[in-house]
Amino acid sequence: MERIVVPPREGRAARVRRGQRVRVVDLEGAQVGDLFAFVAEDVGEYASAEHTRVAVGRLFPRPGEAFVTNRRRPILRFEADTSPGIHDMLLAACDPTRYRGLGVEGWHASCQENLQTAMASVGQTRVEVPQPINLFMNIPLDAEGGLGFAPAPSRAGDHVELRAELDCIVVVSACPQDLVPINANGITPLAIELLD
Amino acid sequence: MERIVVPPREGRAARVRRGQRVRVVDLEGAQVGDLFAFVAEDVGEYASAEHTRVAVGRLFPRPGEAFVTNRRRPILRFEADTSPGIHDMLLAACDPTRYRGLGVEGWHASCQENLQTAMASVGQTRVEVPQPINLFMNIPLDAEGGLGFAPAPSRAGDHVELRAELDCIVVVSACPQDLVPINANGITPLAIELLD
C-alpha cells in the first residue's frame, strides 16, 4: 500500500490506475477533504457533481454507486464508508475570493489553489476547477432549501474507499477553511492510501 | 423591447448590457428553460451554481439575490418571478450521452448542443458547459436527498426577470427533454425579452 499524507491546508495528487482502490482517511477527525478526479488521458473530463446527481438520482451517491464524469462515464465507484456518511457535493471549493469575502486580508490557503498546485505537480498546469466532492463536510439542508455550515462528524481514522473505473488523477485537499465551523478540530491532515 | 423567440428544442443567445433587464418567458406553460450566462469579455467566467449556492446560502436564489460567477462576482440579479417559483440548479444540461442512456437511437436535440450552437452564433466556439440555471424545472428533493423528475408547474406567460450586473451573453435553451416528464405540455417555445 502506498500512503500519501496530505498536510493540513495543503493538497496532494495521486495517479490511480483503473481497478485500483483509493482511500481518503481523516487522520484526526472532523476534517473536510475536497476530492477531485480527472481522467488521466484528458483532464478536460473530470468527476462532475451535476452529472453524478443525474446518474444516481440523489444529492450524493451511496456506497455501491459511482461518481461520473462530465461525459457521464463512471470514474470512481464509492465502495465503502466508515464515517457517519455525511458528505457534500453542493458547495464550490474555497478560493482567495471566498476568503476576502470573509474578511481575510492577505493570502489564505484554499482548496482551489491546492488543486492547482497539486495538478501542476503532475504536469497539469491548466485545469478547470470542478465542483469538488467534499468528503466529511456537513452542510445541513432545511425544507426551504437553506444551507448551513456544521462541523464535520467524522472521527479519527474514518475513511471512504473508492475504486477507479478509469485511469485517473485524484487530488485531495485538506480544506483550510477556518472561518466557518466545518473543520471542528482545527485544520488537520488527511491521508490518501492506494490499495491494489 | 427586443424579443427573441426560442423555438421548441432550440437555443438562442442574447448580448445583455450591464444594467439591462432580461426576461425569460414560458410562452405556453410547463416548459423548462436552461439558462446560462457568460461574462462578455471573458467567457471563461460564467454563472456558477456552486458559487451561487455559497453566496446565497440556499439551493436557489430568491428574488433580490444574485447569481454569481465562478469568480464570485454577481452576474444576474433575480428581480422578479411570476411563476410558482420552482426552479432547479442541481442537474446537468441534457446532452447526447444522456439521451443514449435513456435509450434514444440516433440524434436527439439537447441543451448542451443548443448552448454550443447559440454561443457559436455569437462567435464563441469554445466554451465550458456550466451547470445550468434550470428555470421552471421541478426536481423534488426528499428528506434522504433523493431527487425526482416532476412536471414544470409554470403557466403560459409566466416569466422570470433578471438584471445584468455585468455585460454578458445569456443563452436560453427550450429543453428538448421528452423522455422524463419535466416538460408536461410537450416541448414548447420560450422567449427572451430584453428591456432597458
Side-chain angles (χ1 to χ4, degrees):
Chain A
M1 182 189 79
E2 183 186 349
R3 187 176 222 232
I4 301 165
V5 171
V6 183
R9 303 174 197 275
E10 296 188 19
R12 290 294 183 273
R15 295 184 178 277
V16 185
R17 292 187 321 276
R18 179 177 172 173
Q20 207 174 7
R21 282 175 299 147
V22 54
R23 274 192 192 152
V24 182
V25 189
D26 184 357
L27 294 174
E28 300 184 14
Q31 174 61 46
V32 170
D34 279 33
L35 169 68
F36 304 88
F38 296 84
V39 174
E41 66 192 8
D42 173 8
V43 297
E45 183 174 0
Y46 47 76
S48 165
E50 59 256 37
H51 296 86
T52 297
R53 284 189 286 264
V54 175
V56 303
R58 302 176 49 77
L59 289 181
F60 201 88
R62 285 184 284 209
E65 296 174 332
F67 297 88
V68 305
T69 70
N70 51 332
R71 295 177 198 154
R72 302 189 195 261
R73 297 198 294 166
I75 182 167
L76 291 175
R77 187 160 300 275
F78 189 18
E79 291 211 321
D81 186 0
T82 69
S83 83
I86 304 291
H87 310 287
D88 170 73
M89 215 165 51
L90 292 171
L91 298 191
C94 59
D95 58 27
T97 310
R98 171 70 169 145
Y99 290 106
R100 278 199 297 279
L102 289 168
V104 173
E105 292 179 20
W107 180 82
H108 191 290
S110 68
C111 287
Q112 179 177 296
E113 269 191 23
N114 288 345
L115 167 67
Q116 290 163 335
T117 303
M119 288 299 280
S121 78
V122 293
Q124 298 291 345
T125 53
R126 286 182 64 89
V127 290
E128 266 300 297
V129 180
Q131 160 73 56
I133 301 164
N134 294 311
L135 296 174
F136 315 122
M137 187 165 172
N138 188 2
I139 300 297
L141 177 62
D142 69 29
E144 282 72 48
L147 302 165
F149 291 97
S154 43
R155 300 148 302 199
D158 276 347
H159 66 261
V160 301
E161 190 172 300
L162 306 141
R163 186 178 294 272
E165 301 238 346
L166 299 167
D167 289 345
C168 58
I169 304 166
V170 159
V171 172
V172 175
S173 168
C175 178
Q177 177 58 267
D178 50 10
L179 291 131
V180 301
I182 57 172
N183 296 304
N185 274 350
I187 310 302
T188 55
L190 302 170
I192 305 171
E193 295 179 348
L194 300 171
L195 299 88
D196 283 334
Chain B
M1 183 188 81
E2 184 186 347
R3 188 179 222 230
I4 301 166
V5 171
V6 183
R9 301 173 198 276
E10 298 188 17
R12 290 293 184 272
R15 294 184 181 277
V16 185
R17 293 189 319 278
R18 179 176 173 176
Q20 207 174 7
R21 282 176 299 146
V22 54
R23 274 193 191 150
V24 182
V25 188
D26 185 357
L27 294 173
E28 300 183 15
Q31 174 61 46
V32 169
D34 278 34
L35 170 69
F36 304 88
F38 297 84
V39 173
E41 66 192 8
D42 174 9
V43 297
E45 183 175 359
Y46 46 77
S48 165
E50 60 255 37
H51 295 84
T52 297
R53 284 188 287 263
V54 175
V56 303
R58 300 176 50 75
L59 289 180
F60 201 89
R62 287 184 281 209
E65 296 175 331
F67 297 88
V68 305
T69 70
N70 50 332
R71 292 175 201 157
R72 303 191 194 258
R73 297 198 295 166
I75 182 167
L76 292 175
R77 189 160 299 274
F78 189 18
E79 291 211 321
D81 186 359
T82 70
S83 83
I86 304 291
H87 310 286
D88 170 72
M89 214 164 53
L90 293 171
L91 298 190
C94 59
D95 58 29
T97 310
R98 171 71 169 144
Y99 289 106
R100 279 200 296 280
L102 291 167
V104 173
E105 293 181 20
W107 181 81
H108 191 290
S110 68
C111 288
Q112 178 176 296
E113 269 192 22
N114 288 346
L115 168 67
Q116 291 163 334
T117 302
M119 287 299 280
S121 78
V122 293
Q124 298 291 346
T125 54
R126 285 183 66 91
V127 289
E128 265 302 297
V129 180
Q131 160 73 57
I133 300 163
N134 294 311
L135 296 175
F136 314 123
M137 187 166 174
N138 188 3
I139 301 298
L141 176 62
D142 69 28
E144 281 72 48
L147 301 165
F149 291 96
S154 44
R155 300 147 302 200
D158 275 348
H159 66 262
V160 300
E161 190 172 300
L162 306 141
R163 187 179 293 272
E165 302 238 347
L166 298 167
D167 289 345
C168 60
I169 304 166
V170 159
V171 172
V172 175
S173 169
C175 177
Q177 178 57 267
D178 50 9
L179 291 132
V180 300
I182 57 171
N183 296 304
N185 274 349
I187 311 301
T188 56
L190 301 170
I192 305 170
E193 295 179 348
L194 300 172
L195 297 88
D196 283 337

